[in-house]
């Protein structure tokens, strides 16, 4: 049992799990922001353009249940008040739009990360600081004129060799 608890502790404090938890929390908050943008900013003007429709109140009544005053249920709030079963397709439309906006934002985020990663791979390779001795095939500094391993004079010697 102690081994199981120890293994769980190692798993729970591993960096990836903590990063995932932070991502889920931030994602939940981001979802609420997007839901607010859709229901409070995007959908009202669309509703006005379509003749004053409130998308969150778009419902299909499934029974003839009425309000206390005998009038028909026309909004989602009224349906909830009297417990009338309805299909709330307006809420569904809001949720679909939420999903599309969140998906687009995630797409842009992943596209940005991939662009940054591709820029890292495009960097030119740094100039080599070593070269290979043609005689003993050892790695030596690029500016060397004599091999430190086999003491051969290299062809790139700027000065003539003295005997």
């Amino acid at each position: 049992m102690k081994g199981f608890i120890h293994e769980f502790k190692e798993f729970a404090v591993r960096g990836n799990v903590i990063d995932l938890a932070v991502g889920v929390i931030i994602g939940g908050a981001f979802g609420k922001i997007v839901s607010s943008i859709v229901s409070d900013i995007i959908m009202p003007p669309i509703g006005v353009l379509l003749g004053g429709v409130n998308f969150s109140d778009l419902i299909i009544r499934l029974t003839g249940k009425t309000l206390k005053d005998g009038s028909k249920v026309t909004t989602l709030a009224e349906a909830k008040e009297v417990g009338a079963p309805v299909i709330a397709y307006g809420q569904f439309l809001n949720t679909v739009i939420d999903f599309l906006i969140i998906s687009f934002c995630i797409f842009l985020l992943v596209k940005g990360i991939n662009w940054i990663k591709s820029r890292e791979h495009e960097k030119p390779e740094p100039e080599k600081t070593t070269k290979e001795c043609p005689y003993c095939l050892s790695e030596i500094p690029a500016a060397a004129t004599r091999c430190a391993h086999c003491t051969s004079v290299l062809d790139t010697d700027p000065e003539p060799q003295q005997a």
Side-chain angles (χ1 to χ4, degrees):
M1 186 67 175
K2 285 184 180 184
F4 179 77
I5 292 172
H6 177 71
E7 189 176 339
F8 178 74
K9 280 183 189 177
E10 285 181 11
F11 170 77
V13 297
R14 192 178 309 162
N16 293 344
V17 174
I18 294 170
D19 291 344
L20 180 62
V22 169
V24 167
I25 292 167
I26 290 174
F30 181 70
K32 289 179 183 178
I33 290 170
V34 170
S35 294
S36 176
I37 288 172
V38 169
S39 62
D40 300 332
I41 295 174
I42 295 175
M43 296 311 277
I46 293 174
V48 169
L49 291 174
L50 295 176
V53 177
N54 182 356
F55 277 85
S56 61
D57 284 337
L58 294 177
I59 59 171
I60 296 174
R61 293 185 309 271
L62 297 177
T63 64
K65 202 165 192 178
T66 60
L67 297 172
K68 293 178 185 176
D69 64 0
S71 60
K72 289 184 177 181
V73 173
T74 57
T75 67
L76 184 59
E78 291 173 349
K80 287 182 179 179
E81 181 183 319
V82 295
V86 295
I87 296 175
Y89 69 93
Q91 292 285 62
F92 176 74
L93 289 174
N94 282 350
T95 304
V96 168
I97 293 171
D98 286 354
F99 170 77
L100 293 174
I101 291 172
I102 290 172
S103 298
F104 183 69
C105 290
I106 290 172
F107 167 75
L108 292 177
L109 179 70
V110 170
K111 189 169 178 69
I113 290 171
N114 288 341
W115 180 76
I116 290 170
K117 284 183 179 179
S118 71
R119 298 279 304 198
E120 289 174 0
H121 294 297
E122 291 176 5
K123 290 182 180 175
E125 283 199 28
E127 193 173 316
K128 288 185 83 176
T129 58
T130 61
K131 62 183 177 181
E132 192 174 81
C133 172
Y135 302 105
C136 70
L137 304 179
S138 299
E139 285 288 317
I140 56 173
T145 57
R146 186 177 289 270
C147 178
H149 301 283
C150 69
T151 69
S152 297
V153 176
L154 303 175
D155 294 335
T156 57
D157 188 0
E159 298 176 14
Q161 187 177 5
Q162 297 183 7

